Amino acid sequence: MKPIIDEMGVRTEASDSDEITIKHAVSFTHDIIVDGSMRVSSLRTLDGAMYGTGSLASYDVVSYAPAGTARDGAVDWTAYIQATIDAATGNADPATISRIPKAAVYIPAGIYKITAPIVIRSVQGFHLFGDGPWLTRLSIANNLDLDSLLELDGVAWGVFENFSLESSAAGRADKMLHLHWSAAAARSTTSNTFRNIVVSGRFRTAFAVGVVAGELGIQVDQSTFSDCIVIGQWDDGEITDWQNAWEVGNDTHGNNVDHVLFAPGWTHVRYGIYVDASSVMAYGVHGGWAEVHFYVLGTGGPFVVDGMRMESGRRLLYVSSGASVARVSLSNIDYTADYLNADGRWVYFSVGGSLRLTNITLMYAPVGVTPNVYLNAPGTLTTCIAQGVSTPTAFSGSFVRSENVTLTVMNYQQLANNIPIAVTPMSIVGPGGLNWTPS
Protein backbone atom coordinates (compact mmCIF):
# COMPACT_ATOMS: atom_id res chain seq x y z
CA MET A 1 0.00 0.00 0.00
CA LYS A 2 1.15 3.55 -0.79
CA PRO A 3 0.18 6.55 1.35
CA ILE A 4 -1.11 9.73 -0.27
CA ILE A 5 -1.59 12.82 1.91
CA ASP A 6 -3.30 15.94 0.58
CA GLU A 7 -3.08 19.47 1.99
CA MET A 8 -6.07 18.94 4.25
CA GLY A 9 -4.12 16.21 5.95
CA VAL A 10 -6.30 13.43 4.58
CA ARG A 11 -4.36 10.23 4.15
CA THR A 12 -5.30 7.79 1.39
CA GLU A 13 -3.89 4.29 1.13
CA ALA A 14 -3.75 2.86 -2.37
CA SER A 15 -2.24 -0.15 -4.04
CA ASP A 16 -0.80 -0.05 -7.55
CA SER A 17 -4.08 -1.24 -9.06
CA ASP A 18 -6.39 1.20 -7.24
CA GLU A 19 -8.08 4.25 -8.71
CA ILE A 20 -7.50 7.34 -6.56
CA THR A 21 -9.76 10.34 -5.99
CA ILE A 22 -8.32 13.29 -4.05
CA LYS A 23 -11.24 15.42 -2.90
CA HIS A 24 -9.60 18.10 -0.77
CA ALA A 25 -6.45 19.18 -2.58
CA VAL A 26 -5.94 22.89 -3.20
CA SER A 27 -2.57 22.79 -4.96
CA PHE A 28 0.20 20.47 -6.02
CA THR A 29 3.81 21.66 -6.09
CA HIS A 30 5.31 18.57 -7.70
CA ASP A 31 4.63 16.44 -10.73
CA ILE A 32 1.66 14.09 -10.74
CA ILE A 33 2.13 10.78 -12.50
CA VAL A 34 -1.09 8.95 -13.40
CA ASP A 35 -0.89 5.35 -14.53
CA GLY A 36 -4.56 4.63 -13.87
CA SER A 37 -7.33 7.21 -13.77
CA MET A 38 -7.70 10.26 -11.54
CA ARG A 39 -10.26 13.02 -11.12
CA VAL A 40 -9.36 16.08 -9.09
CA SER A 41 -12.53 17.86 -8.03
CA SER A 42 -10.99 21.01 -6.54
CA LEU A 43 -7.58 21.54 -8.12
CA ARG A 44 -6.60 25.22 -7.90
CA THR A 45 -2.93 25.23 -8.94
CA LEU A 46 -0.48 22.75 -10.35
CA ASP A 47 3.15 23.87 -10.28
CA GLY A 48 4.48 20.60 -11.60
CA ALA A 49 3.47 18.58 -14.63
CA MET A 50 0.56 16.18 -14.90
CA TYR A 51 1.09 13.22 -17.15
CA GLY A 52 0.65 9.48 -17.34
CA THR A 53 -0.64 6.51 -19.27
CA GLY A 54 -4.18 6.52 -17.91
CA SER A 55 -6.94 9.14 -17.72
CA LEU A 56 -5.69 12.52 -16.54
CA ALA A 57 -7.54 14.84 -14.23
CA SER A 58 -10.68 16.80 -14.97
CA TYR A 59 -11.44 20.23 -13.55
CA ASP A 60 -14.80 20.42 -11.80
CA VAL A 61 -16.58 23.76 -12.37
CA VAL A 62 -18.00 23.61 -8.84
CA SER A 63 -14.52 24.18 -7.41
CA TYR A 64 -14.31 27.55 -9.21
CA ALA A 65 -17.41 28.89 -7.46
CA PRO A 66 -17.78 29.92 -3.81
CA ALA A 67 -18.50 26.96 -1.58
CA GLY A 68 -22.16 26.04 -1.54
CA THR A 69 -23.11 27.99 -4.67
CA ALA A 70 -26.54 26.73 -5.71
CA ARG A 71 -26.96 24.88 -9.00
CA ASP A 72 -30.72 25.44 -9.27
CA GLY A 73 -30.86 28.04 -12.05
CA ALA A 74 -30.96 31.03 -9.69
CA VAL A 75 -27.22 31.82 -9.55
CA ASP A 76 -25.21 33.14 -12.51
CA TRP A 77 -22.56 30.51 -13.27
CA THR A 78 -21.14 32.10 -16.43
CA ALA A 79 -17.90 33.39 -14.88
CA TYR A 80 -17.23 30.17 -12.94
CA ILE A 81 -17.66 27.92 -15.96
CA GLN A 82 -15.61 30.24 -18.17
CA ALA A 83 -12.84 30.39 -15.56
CA THR A 84 -12.70 26.61 -15.39
CA ILE A 85 -12.44 26.32 -19.17
CA ASP A 86 -9.77 29.03 -19.28
CA ALA A 87 -7.75 27.23 -16.63
CA ALA A 88 -8.01 23.95 -18.51
CA THR A 89 -7.09 25.40 -21.91
CA GLY A 90 -4.15 27.49 -20.64
CA ASN A 91 -3.11 31.12 -20.76
CA ALA A 92 -1.25 31.16 -24.08
CA ASP A 93 -2.56 33.67 -26.61
CA PRO A 94 -5.33 31.91 -28.58
CA ALA A 95 -4.82 34.28 -31.53
CA THR A 96 -1.29 32.97 -32.09
CA ILE A 97 -1.11 29.49 -30.53
CA SER A 98 -3.19 26.33 -30.90
CA ARG A 99 -3.26 25.23 -27.29
CA ILE A 100 -3.12 21.78 -25.71
CA PRO A 101 -5.49 21.47 -22.72
CA LYS A 102 -4.17 20.70 -19.24
CA ALA A 103 -7.29 18.72 -18.36
CA ALA A 104 -10.92 18.04 -19.22
CA VAL A 105 -13.76 20.08 -17.72
CA TYR A 106 -16.57 18.37 -15.84
CA ILE A 107 -19.93 20.05 -15.15
CA PRO A 108 -21.88 18.06 -12.53
CA ALA A 109 -25.64 17.69 -12.54
CA GLY A 110 -27.47 20.94 -11.97
CA ILE A 111 -29.09 23.94 -13.68
CA TYR A 112 -26.48 26.58 -14.54
CA LYS A 113 -27.75 30.07 -15.27
CA ILE A 114 -25.81 31.59 -18.21
CA THR A 115 -25.70 35.31 -19.04
CA ALA A 116 -23.01 35.45 -21.78
CA PRO A 117 -21.63 33.01 -24.35
CA ILE A 118 -19.32 30.33 -22.96
CA VAL A 119 -16.28 30.48 -25.28
CA ILE A 120 -13.75 27.74 -26.05
CA ARG A 121 -11.06 29.03 -28.41
CA SER A 122 -7.94 27.80 -30.20
CA VAL A 123 -7.46 24.46 -28.50
CA GLN A 124 -7.07 20.89 -29.69
CA GLY A 125 -8.09 17.74 -27.84
CA PHE A 126 -10.39 19.46 -25.32
CA HIS A 127 -13.07 17.46 -23.47
CA LEU A 128 -16.19 19.02 -21.90
CA PHE A 129 -18.71 16.71 -20.27
CA GLY A 130 -21.60 16.53 -17.87
CA ASP A 131 -23.70 13.88 -16.17
CA GLY A 132 -26.21 13.65 -19.01
CA PRO A 133 -28.94 15.64 -20.77
CA TRP A 134 -31.61 16.96 -18.40
CA LEU A 135 -29.10 16.44 -15.57
CA THR A 136 -26.35 18.90 -16.53
CA ARG A 137 -28.24 21.91 -17.94
CA LEU A 138 -26.76 25.16 -19.24
CA SER A 139 -29.67 27.60 -19.32
CA ILE A 140 -29.83 31.12 -20.78
CA ALA A 141 -31.19 33.60 -18.25
CA ASN A 142 -34.47 35.43 -18.66
CA ASN A 143 -34.64 38.54 -20.84
CA LEU A 144 -31.34 37.84 -22.60
CA ASP A 145 -30.84 37.29 -26.33
CA LEU A 146 -27.35 35.83 -26.83
CA ASP A 147 -25.53 35.24 -30.09
CA SER A 148 -24.68 31.78 -28.79
CA LEU A 149 -24.75 29.77 -25.59
CA LEU A 150 -21.68 27.60 -26.26
CA GLU A 151 -19.16 28.96 -28.80
CA LEU A 152 -16.36 26.84 -30.26
CA ASP A 153 -13.89 28.97 -32.20
CA GLY A 154 -10.78 27.27 -33.57
CA VAL A 155 -11.38 23.99 -31.76
CA ALA A 156 -10.09 20.67 -33.08
CA TRP A 157 -10.42 17.02 -32.05
CA GLY A 158 -12.57 17.95 -29.08
CA VAL A 159 -15.26 15.86 -27.40
CA PHE A 160 -18.41 17.47 -25.97
CA GLU A 161 -20.98 15.24 -24.33
CA ASN A 162 -23.72 14.53 -21.82
CA PHE A 163 -25.40 17.87 -21.20
CA SER A 164 -28.36 20.03 -22.24
CA LEU A 165 -28.39 23.49 -23.77
CA GLU A 166 -31.60 25.40 -23.07
CA SER A 167 -33.11 28.75 -22.24
CA SER A 168 -35.43 30.04 -19.58
CA ALA A 169 -38.90 31.03 -20.72
CA ALA A 170 -37.80 34.54 -21.75
CA GLY A 171 -34.20 33.73 -22.74
CA ARG A 172 -32.97 33.10 -26.28
CA ALA A 173 -29.90 32.38 -28.40
CA ASP A 174 -29.42 32.88 -32.10
CA LYS A 175 -27.22 29.76 -32.07
CA MET A 176 -27.25 27.41 -29.11
CA LEU A 177 -24.01 25.67 -30.08
CA HIS A 178 -21.83 27.57 -32.54
CA LEU A 179 -18.85 26.06 -34.37
CA HIS A 180 -16.79 28.53 -36.37
CA TRP A 181 -13.30 29.87 -37.07
CA SER A 182 -12.70 33.58 -36.56
CA ALA A 183 -9.60 35.76 -36.75
CA ALA A 184 -9.37 35.52 -32.95
CA ALA A 185 -8.32 31.84 -33.18
CA ALA A 186 -4.96 30.59 -34.37
CA ARG A 187 -6.29 27.38 -35.82
CA SER A 188 -9.25 26.00 -37.76
CA THR A 189 -12.24 24.12 -36.36
CA THR A 190 -12.15 20.46 -37.33
CA SER A 191 -12.91 16.89 -36.27
CA ASN A 192 -14.99 17.62 -33.17
CA THR A 193 -17.36 15.05 -31.68
CA PHE A 194 -20.68 15.82 -29.97
CA ARG A 195 -22.53 13.09 -28.09
CA ASN A 196 -25.74 12.84 -26.13
CA ILE A 197 -26.68 16.53 -26.19
CA VAL A 198 -30.25 17.87 -26.02
CA VAL A 199 -31.17 21.40 -27.14
CA SER A 200 -34.46 23.00 -26.11
CA GLY A 201 -35.90 26.41 -25.24
CA ARG A 202 -35.89 29.41 -27.59
CA PHE A 203 -33.34 29.65 -30.40
CA ARG A 204 -33.02 30.33 -34.10
CA THR A 205 -30.57 27.47 -34.74
CA ALA A 206 -29.69 24.66 -32.34
CA PHE A 207 -26.41 23.45 -33.89
CA ALA A 208 -24.71 26.05 -36.15
CA VAL A 209 -21.68 24.82 -38.12
CA GLY A 210 -19.61 27.38 -40.05
CA VAL A 211 -22.55 29.66 -40.82
CA VAL A 212 -21.04 33.15 -40.47
CA ALA A 213 -20.48 34.71 -43.89
CA GLY A 214 -17.06 36.27 -44.49
CA GLU A 215 -15.28 34.38 -41.70
CA LEU A 216 -12.32 32.08 -42.07
CA GLY A 217 -15.07 29.58 -41.32
CA ILE A 218 -14.72 28.11 -44.77
CA GLN A 219 -12.65 25.58 -42.81
CA VAL A 220 -15.06 24.11 -40.33
CA ASP A 221 -15.12 20.44 -41.20
CA GLN A 222 -15.53 16.83 -40.14
CA SER A 223 -17.88 17.33 -37.20
CA THR A 224 -19.58 14.23 -35.79
CA PHE A 225 -22.88 14.36 -33.89
CA SER A 226 -24.18 11.23 -32.15
CA ASP A 227 -27.53 10.93 -30.34
CA CYS A 228 -28.16 14.68 -30.35
CA ILE A 229 -31.78 15.85 -30.10
CA VAL A 230 -33.43 19.22 -30.80
CA ILE A 231 -36.79 20.15 -29.30
CA GLY A 232 -38.34 23.35 -30.63
CA GLN A 233 -41.75 25.01 -30.63
CA TRP A 234 -42.06 25.94 -34.30
CA ASP A 235 -45.43 26.09 -36.04
CA ASP A 236 -46.67 27.46 -39.35
CA GLY A 237 -45.87 31.13 -39.87
CA GLU A 238 -42.96 31.39 -37.39
CA ILE A 239 -39.97 32.96 -39.20
CA THR A 240 -37.72 34.04 -36.30
CA ASP A 241 -37.35 31.24 -33.79
CA TRP A 242 -36.88 27.47 -34.09
CA GLN A 243 -35.77 27.75 -37.70
CA ASN A 244 -33.07 25.05 -37.81
CA ALA A 245 -32.09 22.00 -35.84
CA TRP A 246 -28.79 21.87 -37.77
CA GLU A 247 -27.55 24.75 -39.95
CA VAL A 248 -24.40 23.96 -41.93
CA GLY A 249 -22.45 26.20 -44.31
CA ASN A 250 -22.39 29.89 -45.26
CA ASP A 251 -22.87 29.94 -49.04
CA THR A 252 -19.11 29.78 -49.54
CA HIS A 253 -17.32 26.79 -50.96
CA GLY A 254 -14.28 25.81 -48.95
CA ASN A 255 -13.27 23.22 -46.44
CA ASN A 256 -16.67 23.16 -44.72
CA VAL A 257 -17.58 19.58 -45.54
CA ASP A 258 -17.94 16.03 -44.24
CA HIS A 259 -20.22 16.56 -41.26
CA VAL A 260 -21.78 13.31 -40.02
CA LEU A 261 -24.90 12.81 -37.89
CA PHE A 262 -25.70 9.49 -36.20
CA ALA A 263 -29.20 9.01 -34.78
CA PRO A 264 -30.09 12.71 -34.78
CA GLY A 265 -33.60 13.80 -33.91
CA TRP A 266 -35.73 16.93 -34.00
CA THR A 267 -39.29 18.08 -33.57
CA HIS A 268 -41.14 21.39 -33.99
CA VAL A 269 -38.44 23.12 -36.03
CA ARG A 270 -38.88 24.74 -39.43
CA TYR A 271 -35.95 22.87 -41.01
CA GLY A 272 -34.36 19.71 -39.66
CA ILE A 273 -31.06 20.05 -41.55
CA TYR A 274 -30.37 23.27 -43.47
CA VAL A 275 -27.30 23.05 -45.73
CA ASP A 276 -25.79 25.94 -47.66
CA ALA A 277 -22.77 24.96 -49.82
CA SER A 278 -21.58 22.25 -47.44
CA SER A 279 -22.05 18.49 -47.12
CA VAL A 280 -23.81 16.38 -44.51
CA MET A 281 -24.34 12.65 -44.08
CA ALA A 282 -27.11 11.59 -41.66
CA TYR A 283 -27.86 8.04 -40.52
CA GLY A 284 -30.74 6.70 -38.42
CA VAL A 285 -32.71 9.95 -38.36
CA HIS A 286 -35.90 10.57 -36.40
CA GLY A 287 -37.74 13.68 -37.59
CA GLY A 288 -40.81 15.12 -35.92
CA TRP A 289 -42.92 18.10 -36.99
CA ALA A 290 -41.15 20.37 -39.52
CA GLU A 291 -41.91 22.48 -42.56
CA VAL A 292 -39.04 20.82 -44.47
CA HIS A 293 -36.88 18.09 -43.03
CA PHE A 294 -33.95 18.59 -45.42
CA TYR A 295 -33.39 22.02 -47.00
CA VAL A 296 -30.42 22.17 -49.37
CA LEU A 297 -28.95 25.20 -51.15
CA GLY A 298 -26.22 23.65 -53.27
CA THR A 299 -23.67 21.29 -51.77
CA GLY A 300 -19.93 21.28 -51.25
CA GLY A 301 -20.07 17.50 -51.37
CA PRO A 302 -22.71 14.80 -51.11
CA PHE A 303 -25.83 15.25 -49.01
CA VAL A 304 -26.81 11.78 -47.79
CA VAL A 305 -29.62 10.48 -45.59
CA ASP A 306 -29.78 6.75 -44.91
CA GLY A 307 -32.41 5.39 -42.53
CA MET A 308 -35.21 7.58 -41.24
CA ARG A 309 -38.58 7.41 -39.58
CA MET A 310 -40.25 10.74 -40.25
CA GLU A 311 -43.42 12.06 -38.69
CA SER A 312 -45.47 15.05 -39.81
CA GLY A 313 -43.60 17.28 -42.21
CA ARG A 314 -44.80 19.57 -44.99
CA ARG A 315 -41.97 18.32 -47.23
CA LEU A 316 -39.26 15.73 -46.95
CA LEU A 317 -36.69 17.42 -49.20
CA TYR A 318 -36.36 20.90 -50.73
CA VAL A 319 -33.38 21.60 -53.01
CA SER A 320 -33.09 25.00 -54.63
CA SER A 321 -30.49 27.34 -56.12
CA GLY A 322 -27.20 27.57 -54.33
CA ALA A 323 -23.46 27.88 -54.73
CA SER A 324 -23.18 24.61 -56.64
CA VAL A 325 -25.08 21.76 -58.18
CA ALA A 326 -26.65 19.43 -55.69
CA ARG A 327 -25.70 15.80 -55.13
CA VAL A 328 -28.40 14.30 -52.95
CA SER A 329 -29.17 10.73 -51.91
CA LEU A 330 -32.07 9.65 -49.68
CA SER A 331 -32.60 5.99 -48.80
CA ASN A 332 -34.51 3.69 -46.43
CA ILE A 333 -37.11 6.19 -45.26
CA ASP A 334 -40.66 5.86 -43.95
CA TYR A 335 -42.40 9.21 -44.37
CA THR A 336 -45.68 9.86 -42.56
CA ALA A 337 -47.13 12.56 -44.82
CA ASP A 338 -50.32 13.46 -42.96
CA TYR A 339 -49.44 17.20 -43.14
CA LEU A 340 -48.07 17.20 -46.69
CA ASN A 341 -48.36 20.53 -48.55
CA ALA A 342 -51.43 20.94 -50.77
CA ASP A 343 -49.23 20.83 -53.90
CA GLY A 344 -48.15 17.29 -52.90
CA ARG A 345 -44.48 18.00 -53.60
CA TRP A 346 -42.83 15.84 -50.96
CA VAL A 347 -39.56 16.20 -52.89
CA TYR A 348 -38.87 19.57 -54.55
CA PHE A 349 -35.72 19.65 -56.70
CA SER A 350 -35.10 22.76 -58.80
CA VAL A 351 -31.36 22.92 -59.41
CA GLY A 352 -28.86 21.14 -61.62
CA GLY A 353 -27.31 18.02 -60.18
CA SER A 354 -28.25 14.50 -59.24
CA LEU A 355 -30.91 13.02 -56.97
CA ARG A 356 -31.21 9.41 -55.90
CA LEU A 357 -34.25 8.07 -54.02
CA THR A 358 -34.03 4.47 -52.77
CA ASN A 359 -36.47 2.39 -50.73
CA ILE A 360 -38.72 5.25 -49.62
CA THR A 361 -42.34 4.78 -48.54
CA LEU A 362 -44.76 7.70 -48.25
CA MET A 363 -47.87 6.95 -46.17
CA TYR A 364 -51.04 8.68 -44.92
CA ALA A 365 -51.18 11.58 -47.38
CA PRO A 366 -54.08 13.99 -46.74
CA VAL A 367 -57.29 13.32 -48.65
CA GLY A 368 -57.32 15.19 -51.94
CA VAL A 369 -53.51 15.68 -52.06
CA THR A 370 -51.51 13.90 -54.78
CA PRO A 371 -47.96 13.17 -53.58
CA ASN A 372 -45.33 13.77 -56.28
CA VAL A 373 -41.60 14.21 -56.79
CA TYR A 374 -41.20 17.63 -58.43
CA LEU A 375 -38.16 17.92 -60.73
CA ASN A 376 -38.03 21.33 -62.38
CA ALA A 377 -34.59 22.67 -63.27
CA PRO A 378 -34.77 24.32 -66.72
CA GLY A 379 -31.49 24.99 -68.46
CA THR A 380 -29.48 22.54 -66.37
CA LEU A 381 -28.38 18.94 -66.58
CA THR A 382 -30.33 17.07 -63.93
CA THR A 383 -30.72 13.36 -63.27
CA CYS A 384 -32.95 11.46 -60.89
CA ILE A 385 -32.84 7.75 -60.15
CA ALA A 386 -35.72 6.39 -58.07
CA GLN A 387 -35.70 2.77 -56.99
CA GLY A 388 -38.21 1.12 -54.66
CA VAL A 389 -40.29 4.27 -54.10
CA SER A 390 -43.87 3.69 -52.85
CA THR A 391 -46.64 6.31 -52.59
CA PRO A 392 -50.45 6.42 -52.96
CA THR A 393 -50.12 8.13 -56.37
CA ALA A 394 -50.50 6.30 -59.67
CA PHE A 395 -47.20 6.17 -61.52
CA SER A 396 -48.35 8.60 -64.22
CA GLY A 397 -48.64 11.41 -61.63
CA SER A 398 -45.91 10.45 -59.20
CA PHE A 399 -43.04 12.32 -60.90
CA VAL A 400 -43.40 15.81 -62.39
CA ARG A 401 -40.37 16.92 -64.40
CA SER A 402 -39.10 19.58 -66.79
CA GLU A 403 -37.97 18.39 -70.23
CA ASN A 404 -34.25 18.56 -69.44
CA VAL A 405 -34.45 16.12 -66.51
CA THR A 406 -33.41 12.52 -67.08
CA LEU A 407 -35.56 10.30 -64.86
CA THR A 408 -34.99 6.60 -64.26
CA VAL A 409 -37.57 4.76 -62.16
CA MET A 410 -37.31 1.14 -61.05
CA ASN A 411 -39.90 -0.86 -59.12
CA TYR A 412 -42.27 1.97 -58.29
CA GLN A 413 -45.25 0.85 -56.17
CA GLN A 414 -48.61 2.54 -55.92
CA LEU A 415 -50.19 2.06 -52.49
CA ALA A 416 -53.76 1.91 -51.23
CA ASN A 417 -54.11 1.81 -47.45
CA ASN A 418 -50.33 1.28 -47.38
CA ILE A 419 -50.64 -1.93 -49.44
CA PRO A 420 -49.17 -2.15 -52.98
CA ILE A 421 -51.82 -2.29 -55.69
CA ALA A 422 -49.71 -1.59 -58.79
CA VAL A 423 -46.06 -1.86 -59.76
CA THR A 424 -44.08 -0.12 -62.52
CA PRO A 425 -40.92 -2.21 -63.02
CA MET A 426 -38.97 0.27 -65.16
CA SER A 427 -39.32 3.68 -66.80
CA ILE A 428 -36.71 5.94 -68.38
CA VAL A 429 -37.54 9.40 -69.69
CA GLY A 430 -35.28 12.29 -70.63
CA PRO A 431 -34.40 15.07 -73.02
CA GLY A 432 -34.22 14.49 -76.77
CA GLY A 433 -37.29 12.30 -76.86
CA LEU A 434 -35.95 9.58 -74.58
CA ASN A 435 -39.02 7.79 -73.27
CA TRP A 436 -39.21 4.10 -72.41
CA THR A 437 -41.71 2.37 -70.19
CA PRO A 438 -42.44 -1.35 -70.64
CA SER A 439 -46.03 -2.22 -71.40
Side-chain angles (χ1 to χ4, degrees):
M1 303 293 287
K2 298 179 180 179
I4 297 174
I5 302 177
D6 67 25
E7 290 192 356
M8 298 296 292
V10 176
R11 179 186 179 95
T12 301
E13 298 286 345
S15 66
D16 288 344
S17 61
D18 285 345
E19 292 187 359
I20 301 168
T21 300
I22 302 174
K23 296 182 178 179
H24 305 288
V26 175
S27 64
F28 291 91
T29 57
H30 300 289
D31 293 355
I32 302 173
I33 302 173
V34 183
D35 290 325
S37 63
M38 183 177 81
R39 174 175 294 168
V40 180
S41 63
S42 56
L43 180 64
R44 294 300 178 118
T45 64
L46 176 60
D47 295 333
M50 184 178 292
Y51 58 92
T53 59
S55 302
L56 296 181
S58 59
Y59 290 3
D60 186 332
V61 298
V62 173
S63 64
Y64 280 77
T69 303
R71 289 172 278 162
D72 59 2
V75 177
D76 185 355
W77 274 80
T78 309
Y80 308 136
I81 294 175
Q82 189 66 63
T84 314
I85 291 170
D86 292 346
T89 54
N91 56 11
D93 182 3
T96 59
I97 295 176
S98 179
R99 300 175 293 180
I100 304 297
K102 297 177 181 179
V105 168
Y106 166 57
I107 307 179
I111 304 174
Y112 297 85
K113 179 180 176 180
I114 304 298
T115 57
I118 301 296
V119 180
I120 302 168
R121 177 167 288 136
S122 200
V123 63
Q124 54 196 56
F126 183 66
H127 186 194
L128 177 71
F129 64 102
D131 283 324
W134 309 117
L135 296 175
T136 297
R137 299 164 57 185
L138 305 183
S139 182
I140 300 170
N142 269 325
N143 302 314
L144 287 179
D145 191 346
L146 303 181
D147 179 72
S148 62
L149 198 169
L150 182 61
E151 177 185 353
L152 277 59
D153 181 13
V155 177
W157 302 292
V159 177
F160 305 85
E161 59 186 338
N162 298 325
F163 53 83
S164 294
L165 303 176
E166 60 186 55
S167 72
S168 57
R172 180 185 183 274
D174 185 70
K175 300 169 282 289
M176 286 298 226
L177 189 149
H178 184 200
L179 282 76
H180 69 128
W181 180 22
S182 77
R187 63 149 306 111
S188 63
T189 294
T190 184
S191 303
N192 293 291
T193 298
F194 304 88
R195 293 193 290 248
N196 204 26
I197 298 173
V198 173
V199 175
S200 63
R202 185 176 294 272
F203 53 85
R204 184 185 64 84
T205 292
F207 296 101
V209 183
V211 302
V212 179
E215 273 198 336
L216 300 171
I218 54 174
Q219 184 162 355
V220 180
D221 62 346
Q222 298 182 4
S223 310
T224 301
F225 296 85
S226 297
D227 299 298
C228 294
I229 306 297
V230 178
I231 303 170
Q233 301 174 45
W234 180 85
D235 212 338
D236 289 325
E238 174 61 56
I239 59 172
T240 302
D241 293 330
W242 310 296
Q243 297 296 288
N244 312 294
W246 273 264
E247 180 184 2
V248 185
N250 62 8
D251 194 36
T252 303
H253 277 148
N255 199 6
N256 186 342
V257 291
D258 300 336
H259 304 287
V260 183
L261 282 58
F262 295 102
W266 54 79
T267 187
H268 287 81
V269 293
R270 188 177 185 183
Y271 306 127
I273 302 176
Y274 181 102
V275 175
D276 189 356
S278 183
S279 67
V280 173
M281 290 149 280
Y283 304 93
V285 180
H286 182 84
W289 172 236
E291 180 176 312
V292 180
H293 285 282
F294 308 113
Y295 194 109
V296 180
L297 296 176
T299 57
F303 180 85
V304 175
V305 178
D306 189 354
M308 179 181 184
R309 178 176 177 268
M310 197 273 277
E311 299 176 355
S312 300
R314 298 292 190 198
R315 299 192 202 279
L316 178 63
L317 172 70
Y318 186 97
V319 184
S320 187
S321 59
S324 176
V325 299
R327 291 166 282 169
V328 178
S329 175
L330 307 183
S331 59
N332 303 312
I333 294 174
D334 282 350
Y335 173 17
T336 300
D338 47 348
Y339 288 92
L340 182 62
N341 271 10
D343 61 17
R345 297 169 181 172
W346 61 281
V347 169
Y348 184 104
F349 197 95
S350 64
V351 66
S354 61
L355 170 65
R356 188 176 187 100
L357 306 172
T358 306
N359 194 27
I360 300 177
T361 300
L362 182 150
M363 304 172 288
Y364 306 112
V367 175
V369 174
T370 302
N372 64 90
V373 174
Y374 183 77
L375 308 166
N376 183 28
T380 67
L381 292 176
T382 303
T383 62
C384 175
I385 299 174
Q387 181 174 7
V389 173
S390 304
T391 83
T393 306
F395 176 71
S396 60
S398 59
F399 294 85
V400 178
R401 68 177 189 90
S402 54
E403 289 298 321
N404 62 299
V405 175
T406 299
L407 171 65
T408 302
V409 179
M410 294 171 281
N411 297 322
Y412 175 82
Q413 294 185 333
Q414 181 185 357
L415 305 177
N417 297 320
N418 302 323
I419 298 173
I421 59 171
V423 176
T424 300
M426 174 70 78
S427 176
I428 303 173
V429 294
L434 177 63
N435 193 335
W436 181 80
T437 301
S439 57

